[in-house]
PDB file of all heavy atoms in Angstrom:
ATOM      1  N   SER A1400    -160.478 128.605  89.792  1.00  0.00           N
ATOM      2  CA  SER A1400    -161.869 128.876  89.391  1.00  0.00           C
ATOM      3  C   SER A1400    -162.813 127.792  89.892  1.00  0.00           C
ATOM      4  O   SER A1400    -163.980 127.780  89.527  1.00  0.00           O
ATOM      5  CB  SER A1400    -161.958 128.989  87.866  1.00  0.00           C
ATOM      6  OG  SER A1400    -161.478 127.805  87.262  1.00  0.00           O
ATOM      7  N   ASP A1404    -166.522 126.888  88.720  1.00  0.00           N
ATOM      8  CA  ASP A1404    -166.720 125.885  87.667  1.00  0.00           C
ATOM      9  C   ASP A1404    -167.027 124.486  88.197  1.00  0.00           C
ATOM     10  O   ASP A1404    -167.306 123.582  87.415  1.00  0.00           O
ATOM     11  CB  ASP A1404    -165.578 125.900  86.640  1.00  0.00           C
ATOM     12  CG  ASP A1404    -164.211 125.627  87.231  1.00  0.00           C
ATOM     13  OD1 ASP A1404    -164.141 124.912  88.233  1.00  0.00           O
ATOM     14  OD2 ASP A1404    -163.208 126.128  86.655  1.00  0.00           O
ATOM     15  N   ASP A1460    -159.044 124.116  89.042  1.00  0.00           N
ATOM     16  CA  ASP A1460    -160.381 124.165  88.439  1.00  0.00           C
ATOM     17  C   ASP A1460    -160.982 122.762  88.438  1.00  0.00           C
ATOM     18  O   ASP A1460    -160.341 121.804  88.874  1.00  0.00           O
ATOM     19  CB  ASP A1460    -160.354 124.776  87.030  1.00  0.00           C
ATOM     20  CG  ASP A1460    -159.348 124.107  86.103  1.00  0.00           C
ATOM     21  OD1 ASP A1460    -159.091 122.896  86.281  1.00  0.00           O
ATOM     22  OD2 ASP A1460    -158.806 124.788  85.212  1.00  0.00           O
ATOM     23  N   HIS A1462    -161.529 120.759  86.051  1.00  0.00           N
ATOM     24  CA  HIS A1462    -160.833 119.806  85.166  1.00  0.00           C
ATOM     25  C   HIS A1462    -159.657 119.156  85.883  1.00  0.00           C
ATOM     26  O   HIS A1462    -159.463 117.941  85.819  1.00  0.00           O
ATOM     27  CB  HIS A1462    -160.356 120.514  83.891  1.00  0.00           C
ATOM     28  CG  HIS A1462    -161.254 121.615  83.449  1.00  0.00           C
ATOM     29  ND1 HIS A1462    -162.534 121.367  83.015  1.00  0.00           N
ATOM     30  CD2 HIS A1462    -161.091 122.965  83.412  1.00  0.00           C
ATOM     31  CE1 HIS A1462    -163.113 122.527  82.719  1.00  0.00           C
ATOM     32  NE2 HIS A1462    -162.258 123.510  82.955  1.00  0.00           N
ATOM     33  N   ARG A1486    -156.873 121.749  78.313  1.00  0.00           N
ATOM     34  CA  ARG A1486    -157.985 122.318  79.077  1.00  0.00           C
ATOM     35  C   ARG A1486    -158.703 123.402  78.265  1.00  0.00           C
ATOM     36  O   ARG A1486    -159.838 123.743  78.547  1.00  0.00           O
ATOM     37  CB  ARG A1486    -157.480 122.903  80.401  1.00  0.00           C
ATOM     38  CG  ARG A1486    -157.471 121.888  81.525  1.00  0.00           C
ATOM     39  CD  ARG A1486    -157.137 122.567  82.810  1.00  0.00           C
ATOM     40  NE  ARG A1486    -155.850 123.238  82.727  1.00  0.00           N
ATOM     41  CZ  ARG A1486    -155.470 124.248  83.508  1.00  0.00           C
ATOM     42  NH1 ARG A1486    -156.280 124.723  84.429  1.00  0.00           N
ATOM     43  NH2 ARG A1486    -154.283 124.788  83.385  1.00  0.00           N
ATOM     44  N   ASN A1487    -158.002 123.911  77.264  1.00  0.00           N
ATOM     45  CA  ASN A1487    -158.631 124.969  76.466  1.00  0.00           C
ATOM     46  C   ASN A1487    -159.842 124.464  75.687  1.00  0.00           C
ATOM     47  O   ASN A1487    -160.879 125.114  75.649  1.00  0.00           O
ATOM     48  CB  ASN A1487    -157.606 125.577  75.500  1.00  0.00           C
ATOM     49  CG  ASN A1487    -156.459 126.242  76.242  1.00  0.00           C
ATOM     50  OD1 ASN A1487    -156.535 126.410  77.458  1.00  0.00           O
ATOM     51  ND2 ASN A1487    -155.408 126.609  75.522  1.00  0.00           N
ATOM     52  N   VAL A1490    -162.560 123.080  78.445  1.00  0.00           N
ATOM     53  CA  VAL A1490    -163.448 124.048  79.087  1.00  0.00           C
ATOM     54  C   VAL A1490    -164.463 124.585  78.076  1.00  0.00           C
ATOM     55  O   VAL A1490    -165.637 124.795  78.403  1.00  0.00           O
ATOM     56  CB  VAL A1490    -162.660 125.186  79.789  1.00  0.00           C
ATOM     57  CG1 VAL A1490    -162.022 126.154  78.814  1.00  0.00           C
ATOM     58  CG2 VAL A1490    -163.555 125.941  80.753  1.00  0.00           C
ATOM     59  N   TYR A1694    -156.735 131.049  73.349  1.00  0.00           N
ATOM     60  CA  TYR A1694    -157.163 131.129  74.741  1.00  0.00           C
ATOM     61  C   TYR A1694    -156.331 132.136  75.527  1.00  0.00           C
ATOM     62  O   TYR A1694    -155.110 132.219  75.364  1.00  0.00           O
ATOM     63  CB  TYR A1694    -157.068 129.746  75.425  1.00  0.00           C
ATOM     64  CG  TYR A1694    -157.481 129.796  76.885  1.00  0.00           C
ATOM     65  CD1 TYR A1694    -158.822 129.709  77.239  1.00  0.00           C
ATOM     66  CD2 TYR A1694    -156.542 129.968  77.899  1.00  0.00           C
ATOM     67  CE1 TYR A1694    -159.216 129.786  78.572  1.00  0.00           C
ATOM     68  CE2 TYR A1694    -156.922 130.043  79.237  1.00  0.00           C
ATOM     69  CZ  TYR A1694    -158.262 129.951  79.565  1.00  0.00           C
ATOM     70  OH  TYR A1694    -158.651 130.036  80.873  1.00  0.00           O
ATOM     71  N   GLN A1699    -161.511 132.848  81.728  1.00  0.00           N
ATOM     72  CA  GLN A1699    -162.012 132.131  82.900  1.00  0.00           C
ATOM     73  C   GLN A1699    -163.152 132.920  83.571  1.00  0.00           C
ATOM     74  O   GLN A1699    -163.973 132.349  84.267  1.00  0.00           O
ATOM     75  CB  GLN A1699    -160.859 131.903  83.887  1.00  0.00           C
ATOM     76  CG  GLN A1699    -161.246 131.163  85.142  1.00  0.00           C
ATOM     77  CD  GLN A1699    -160.024 130.649  85.899  1.00  0.00           C
ATOM     78  OE1 GLN A1699    -159.394 129.690  85.473  1.00  0.00           O
ATOM     79  NE2 GLN A1699    -159.680 131.296  86.983  1.00  0.00           N
ATOM     80  N   LYS A1702    -167.467 132.301  83.091  1.00  0.00           N
ATOM     81  CA  LYS A1702    -168.427 131.456  83.808  1.00  0.00           C
ATOM     82  C   LYS A1702    -169.162 132.198  84.915  1.00  0.00           C
ATOM     83  O   LYS A1702    -170.377 132.080  85.053  1.00  0.00           O
ATOM     84  CB  LYS A1702    -167.724 130.210  84.347  1.00  0.00           C
ATOM     85  CG  LYS A1702    -167.390 129.229  83.217  1.00  0.00           C
ATOM     86  CD  LYS A1702    -166.487 128.111  83.638  1.00  0.00           C
ATOM     87  CE  LYS A1702    -165.023 128.487  83.671  1.00  0.00           C
ATOM     88  NZ  LYS A1702    -164.480 128.991  82.387  1.00  0.00           N
TER      89      LYS A1702
HETATM   90  N1  LIG B1491    -160.156 127.209  84.421  1.00  0.00           N
HETATM   91  C1  LIG B1491    -159.860 127.572  83.076  1.00  0.00           C
HETATM   92  C2  LIG B1491    -160.984 128.409  82.487  1.00  0.00           C
HETATM   93  O1  LIG B1491    -162.024 128.382  83.019  1.00  0.00           O
HETATM   94  C3  LIG B1491    -159.684 126.357  82.225  1.00  0.00           C
HETATM   95  C4  LIG B1491    -158.799 126.544  81.052  1.00  0.00           C
HETATM   96  C5  LIG B1491    -157.409 126.767  81.512  1.00  0.00           C
HETATM   97  N2  LIG B1491    -156.478 126.785  80.416  1.00  0.00           N
HETATM   98  C6  LIG B1491    -155.246 127.282  80.574  1.00  0.00           C
HETATM   99  N3  LIG B1491    -154.498 127.216  79.559  1.00  0.00           N
HETATM  100  N4  LIG B1491    -154.871 127.798  81.693  1.00  0.00           N
HETATM  101  O2  LIG B1491    -160.809 129.100  81.529  1.00  0.00           O
END
Side-chain angles (χ1 to χ4, degrees):
S1400 57
D1404 59 29
D1460 53 30
H1462 327 294
R1486 271 187 302 158
N1487 297 350
V1490 72
Y1694 179 84
Q1699 180 165 286
K1702 287 170 279 303

